[in-house]
């Protein structure tokens, strides 16, 4: 059964899609069967793999409105263990159309239920808002991963996201938990980056990943080439950072699983 992780932050420009693309590629390299679901109408996760949105006939939009099954929109990436559910501009209207549909917050969860046994990890790339698409992702997910940039106003919006997490736990998905906060865009030469990282660790001492994603030119360049950093420059700092993050997530999952088995 897949571990389903929603990657979300209502603040834009924090490295959310970069995290989904590169963490997904790193998990696939580790021989974990991985599915990425582009829940963001901007479709950056889709184009990040060189897929032309204008040539896609069916996408997540058709799945959410019930026109087709999730398996029918899978796109193969360059990595054998990595599949993608793309997003097109049609997804912009999905939130409006979903309002009138039954069980509107559960549409994505129901779609994933049919295929989750085929994957080890499913990563959901959420839009930078707390609308119905993000609610669908949080309802479908087992956990929430929050990318947080090491810059001024880093904590801006985080309190709202965590408040939404509590509401979703209470009303829609009681098993949802905070997977962790990953610090992105870290510049070791910048004192502010260190100050922000320290502040975040003080606020959330047990929720911040040890792995830090450093600001890296090759990581920033890779989307324009339609490839994750691992395939663009495997030796770049960004690629190596996400490989470490994948190892940490896999290791944490194994520790948690052993702990659960020990209590049975």
């Amino acid at each position: 059964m897949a571990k389903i992780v929603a990657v979300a932050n209502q603040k834009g420009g924090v490295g959310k899609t970069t995290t989904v693309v590169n963490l997904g590629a790193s998990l696939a390299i580790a021989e974990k069967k991985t599915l990425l679901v582009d829940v963001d109408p901007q479709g950056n996760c889709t184009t990040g793999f060189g897929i032309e949105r204008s040539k896609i006939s069916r996408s997540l939009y058709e799945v959410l409105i019930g026109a087709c099954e999730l398996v029918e929109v899978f796109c193969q990436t360059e990595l054998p263990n990595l599949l993608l559910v793309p997003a097109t501009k049609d997804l912009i209207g999905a939130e409006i159309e979903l309002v009138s549909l039954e069980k509107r917050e559960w549409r994505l969860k129901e779609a994933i239920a049919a295929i989750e046994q085929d994957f080890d990890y499913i990563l959901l790339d959420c839009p930078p808002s707390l609308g119905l698409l993000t609610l669908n992702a949080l309802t479908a997910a087992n956990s929430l991963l929050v990318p947080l940039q090491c810059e001024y106003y880093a904590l801006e919006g985080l309190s709202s996201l965590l408040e939404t997490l509590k509401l979703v736990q209470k009303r829609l998905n009681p098993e949802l938990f905070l997977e962790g906060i990953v610090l992105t865009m870290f510049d070791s030469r910048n004192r502010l980056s260190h100050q922000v990282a320290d502040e975040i660790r003080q606020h959330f001492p047990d929720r911040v990943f040890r792995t830090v994603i450093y600001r890296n030119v090759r990581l920033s360049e890779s989307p324009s080439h339609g490839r994750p950093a691992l395939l663009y420059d495997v030796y770049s700092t960004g690629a190596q950072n996400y490989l470490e993050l994948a190892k940490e997530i896999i290791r944490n999952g194994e520790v948690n699983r052993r702990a659960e088995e020990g209590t049975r």
Side-chain angles (χ1 to χ4, degrees), residues 22 24 26-27 51 60 82 92 110 154-155 170 180 188 194 247 252 255 257:
N22 290 285
S26 298
L27 289 168
I51 297 170
L60 181 63
L82 187 62
I92 296 172
E110 291 174 348
L155 296 174
K170 184 177 180 180
S188 59
H194 291 279
K247 290 177 185 176
N252 290 348
V255 169
R257 185 163 54 251

Side-chain angles (χ1 to χ4, degrees), residues 104 111 147 154 187 204 255:
R104 59 191 181 190
D187 186 345
F204 308 97
V255 169

Side-chain angles (χ1 to χ4, degrees), residues 99-240:
V99 170
S100 61
L101 298 178
E102 290 185 14
K103 301 180 73 174
R104 59 191 181 190
E105 296 93 349
W106 280 272
R107 305 292 286 194
L108 183 57
K109 183 180 178 66
E110 291 174 348
I112 289 176
I115 54 87
E116 63 177 309
Q117 71 277 2
D118 299 325
F119 297 92
D120 297 307
Y121 289 89
I122 299 175
L123 305 184
L124 312 177
D125 187 20
C126 301
S129 65
L130 297 178
L132 201 46
L133 289 173
T134 299
L135 274 180
N136 261 267
L138 294 176
T139 302
N142 305 127
S143 64
L144 168 66
L145 189 154
V146 183
L148 208 62
Q149 83 280 28
C150 294
E151 296 178 352
Y152 197 58
Y153 293 132
L155 296 174
E156 183 181 283
L158 182 59
S159 58
S160 296
L161 180 60
L162 296 180
E163 200 58 45
T164 300
L165 171 62
K166 291 178 182 178
L167 288 173
V168 171
Q169 289 170 327
K170 184 177 180 180
R171 301 177 183 178
L172 300 169
N173 185 2
E175 297 181 0
L176 181 67
F177 67 93
L178 181 61
E179 181 80 27
I181 297 168
V182 57
L183 301 177
T184 64
M185 304 179 186
F186 186 86
D187 186 345
S188 59
R189 301 164 300 178
N190 190 330
R191 183 185 295 178
L192 179 61
S193 285
H194 291 279
Q195 290 175 340
V196 170
D198 290 342
E199 183 179 359
I200 293 169
R201 289 192 177 102
Q202 287 174 11
H203 275 81
F204 308 97
D206 302 320
R207 289 289 182 263
V208 181
F209 286 101
R210 291 181 181 178
T211 304
V212 174
I213 310 302
Y214 285 77
R215 191 178 288 279
N216 178 243
V217 173
R218 305 299 271 176
L219 186 62
S220 301
E221 288 176 347
S222 59
S224 64
H225 294 267
R227 310 186 88 189
L230 271 173
L231 297 180
Y232 180 61
D233 184 354
V234 67
Y235 298 108
S236 66
T237 300
Q240 293 300 312

Side-chain angles (χ1 to χ4, degrees), residues 73-89:
V73 300
F74 284 173
C75 291
Q76 182 62 58
T77 69
E78 289 183 72
L79 296 167
N81 288 317
L82 187 62
L83 294 176
L84 170 73
V85 173
T88 63
K89 62 181 180 181

Side-chain angles (χ1 to χ4, degrees), residues 38-87:
D38 196 345
V39 192
D40 189 346
Q42 295 178 81
N44 291 333
C45 185
T46 302
T47 57
F49 283 94
I51 297 170
E52 293 186 43
R53 299 209 298 161
S54 60
K55 295 183 179 180
I56 297 170
S57 57
R58 290 188 295 187
S59 66
L60 181 63
Y61 168 76
E62 281 75 20
V63 175
L64 291 178
I65 65 171
C68 67
E69 299 296 320
L70 201 61
V71 69
E72 297 178 62
V73 300
F74 284 173
C75 291
Q76 182 62 58
T77 69
E78 289 183 72
L79 296 167
N81 288 317
L82 187 62
L83 294 176
L84 170 73
V85 173

